[in-house]
Amino acid sequence: MKYLVLKSVIFLVVMFLGSFMANAQTMLDSAALGNLSEKDKPALLTQLAERSRIGGDYQAAVTRAKTSIGLALKFKNDEEATKAYIVLVNVYANTNQFALLKKTADTALTVAQRSRQPIALAYAFFAQALFYNAIDNNEQVTKFCQLGLKALEKKYDAYIIAKIYYQLYALNTRWDDVKNINKYARLAVENALKTTDYNLQSNGYIALSVAADYNYAGTKKEVFRDSIIYYLNKAQSLYLQYPKYVARKTYGIACINSADYYLRYFSDTDRQAKDNAIRYASMANEVMKGALNGEELRASGLGILSEYAKRDKNFVMAEAYLQEAYSLMKNQKVPYYYTLINVVNALSNFYEQQGNYEKALEFQKKATEYNSKLFAEKKTLNAQKLEVQYEAEKKNNEVKLLKQREKYARQQKYLYIGIAIASVLGLIFMFRSYHFRLRYSLQREKQLHLEKQDAELQMKFEKEEQARLKAEQLLLESQQQQLQKEVMANQLQLEHKKEMLFQIKEKLSDNHQLNINKIWNEELLLDHDFEEAKFQIQQVHPEFFSQLNQRAQQKLTSLDLKLCAYLHLKMDTKKIAQLMHIEAKSVRMSRYRVKQKLGLNKEEDLNLFLQNMV
């Protein structure tokens, strides 16, 4: 306990010193800028812009980066201008400004290509990788990262190499490629350690901890489990050593990951693991107070504290932590719906476990509302990504076309030179030259005509092929829907037969005298009615039952679903009772039960609701 108190005191002292040193550093930076000439200012401005970006102050980052670009271009320092463009690209990627992101990345590439400097080209290729990463085009991300590394074969730059390897590491986490995750995380750290960018080093250690987590999940070897906290401790130590150079968010992520590590991999009875997890979660919560966009990390830390409070049966504190996390996330200017939904779901589950079903339902409804907003947000972002990707591909195609035209113009130029020479020679050999030009012209016209025919045939073939593929796709979809309908209908009929046989078995076991012929005739009559119902059931929308289950939160039984299908087909109570071999009173009770599961009010009509489902 004394150790924990000492660690907390040290942390608070470091926080105070870090804040004091950050303010002092701001004054020093301003003084340094004032002492530099305009020609030497871009490098420092770019560093300050990057520091503002990792601190979450995007407005300051953009202002400083643009100032740096203006001065760099003024003095024809294309390499420094490209580095400043990277800051803008990162900001636009983080804020989902895809149009500006594409424009800035392309401008950086244009400037770098003009300079033909290897380091400038590497930065520009990295800017393109960031753009394609933002619109989820993984193939292009890999391509431009490899181009960046290839450009640096001529001139080494540890900083941008570490950045590229970190991007490749992050890309491979999407595919859970453990081998490449370990490879690129290690390479990112090796190169980051050759720089003085402590925030980059800290992110690299976090990447190594993630790689160790993958290794432990696959092997269950304790050496990998110990490596997780080892690398996270190194990331945290960098912040404690260099608080003005390591972003608070980077430190907060390391703390949250440490707390989550103890929560996931240690038993409830391990007191030391619990103390460590609570300490790290509290540190993350404390360091992110007042930080820009720090609500997600604070909410994550509060969620971990709530989990430990529940384990200790301290339900008052568990609720308080979750409510505080909900308040933080709800009051964000731009809500981060993933974390908000997790917090709301946690509150719903908590109140359900406490038996407060009214509160549980209230937060479950909020979760549904936020899920809808998240879906709408993702839909809008995906539409923007597709639009930008379309524009990017269109522009790339235009560039290719321009290059082809340039090549053709060069060829045409050479042709004209040849013709001119031939014309000069033709003064001596007039008749022969005239005959040659005529023959060449005819051959050229014939060739163009043949090329035009080939292009038309190719276009016609592609259109026919697309039409055939579309027709096959429509046929497959139609067959699939028909099979789904038939399966639903046959399933209802099988359940009906099963119920009839079960009832006959019960009557036989009770030694009741049965009139088999009467039962057979009744069943034939019901079969005739069911065949008509089956035909109508097959017309029900294939997603009818799935929509019902979703509305009822998977609470409907197979008999409930069968009743809903009959009601959807507008069958009366008597016929339903015959088909289900139950009394009309039971049908009415089942109707009431289904209405409750679907969450309908007393005034809402179940029949009308089911009719409107499709």
Side-chain angles (χ1 to χ4, degrees), residues 331-350:
N331 293 327
Q332 277 186 306
K333 291 182 180 179
V334 180
Y336 188 73
Y337 287 113
Y338 287 102
T339 306
L340 182 56
I341 290 168
N342 288 335
V343 172
V344 170
N345 281 328
L347 278 166
S348 178
N349 293 334
F350 173 79

Side-chain angles (χ1 to χ4, degrees), residues 427-442:
L427 294 174
I428 303 172
F429 306 100
M430 186 178 295
F431 178 76
R432 190 173 180 179
S433 175
Y434 171 76
H435 184 271
F436 170 77
R437 285 200 304 270
L438 180 61
R439 185 174 61 182
Y440 176 81
S441 177
L442 290 172

Side-chain angles (χ1 to χ4, degrees), residues 453-465:
Q453 286 183 334
D454 288 343
E456 289 175 351
L457 287 173
Q458 182 66 22
M459 188 178 297
K460 183 178 179 182
F461 174 76
E462 289 178 355
K463 287 182 179 179
E464 290 176 353
E465 184 65 15

